[in-house]
Amino acid sequence: MKTTETPAPLPAESGAPITKTDVRPPPVREKKEGTVLNVFSHGVLVIWAFMVVMPLLWAVMTSFKDDRSIFSSPWSLPDSLHFDNWSRAWTQANMSDYFLNTVLVVGGSLIGTLVLGSMAAYVLARFDFPGNRFIYYLFIGGMSFPIMLALVPLFYVVNNMGLLNTIHGLILVYIAYSLPFTVFFLTAFFRTLPTSIAEAAFVDGASHSRTFFQIMLPMAKPGLISVGIFNFLGQWNQYMLPTVLNTDPDKRVLTQGLVQLAVSQGYKGDWSGLFAGLVMAMLPVLAAYIVFQRQVVQGLTAGALK
């Protein structure tokens, strides 16, 4: 009968104690540098957040004050909530009409921009044809073209087409203004999506349009939401284009209405109503970003995670 004997450990050499050499403590210097860097970055973020949030809170607080309190104690809390500022801005200052016009213009232009931009980006990202790169770089060039240089010819083009001082004319201009960035963003996003699903759909007999609308477009939802938020911010706060192309008082948008409210009575303007209208214009933007914040982050980081 054989037995397995455990060999005896070798004796340690004289003067050389047995230690664990594979476990080493991290360098103290690197740990200190990382801690200093984290403290510095967090401090910068706190300062930046304070600079961004404080003006917003001050505007909301001022919208509930009367005109006398705005100038006598601008940094104090309101003695009472003056909700009549909001009602006065909504009715007497015609902010309700400006709000409705802005919703119509931005809503129509946002839908048109996402539909046309996603279709163009999908073709440029998935199909090779003569002139593909040339068309793509034309869209890239549109991003670098200053809008100030196009105002005068754009005015005459819109006027000759009979679209001056119209809602649908402003929608078409907003779409053309937002398409370059939309195509640039979505082209890079469509390139990160897997091609095997689209190829499987083609094998099953699906057409190009059905593959795009039923398969590829739902997969690009994070990118669509991200670029939609960016376009929404730019179109909602647009002032130069409606000022040049929309001179009808009945079709003014929110940015034009706020300027009109500020200069309507000169130095005796309705400051409390102005701040109330300003908060009204900010609320939809803040609400849209808060609701779709997670989708925006997913859309921005999707290409990096592939």
Side-chain angles (χ1 to χ4, degrees), residues 65-127:
K65 292 183 177 181
D66 55 3
D67 293 340
R68 182 183 58 83
S69 300
I70 292 176
F71 291 98
S72 60
S73 54
W75 301 107
S76 63
L77 295 175
D79 52 356
S80 61
L81 299 180
H82 296 273
F83 291 100
D84 57 314
N85 298 337
W86 290 62
S87 62
R88 188 170 65 255
W90 185 258
T91 56
Q92 298 181 10
N94 299 324
M95 293 299 294
S96 59
D97 298 333
Y98 303 148
F99 194 90
L100 178 60
N101 293 335
T102 305
V103 170
L104 293 177
V105 172
V106 175
S109 60
L110 193 60
I111 294 174
T113 301
L114 292 180
V115 172
L116 297 177
S118 61
M119 294 171 66
Y122 176 73
V123 172
L124 293 175
R126 293 291 179 165
F127 299 96

Side-chain angles (χ1 to χ4, degrees), residues 212-235:
F212 171 71
F213 285 105
Q214 295 187 2
I215 298 177
M216 302 306 296
L217 201 60
M219 292 175 59
K221 182 180 177 181
L224 292 174
I225 293 177
S226 299
V227 75
I229 290 295
F230 291 137
N231 287 329
F232 175 75
L233 295 176
Q235 294 174 4

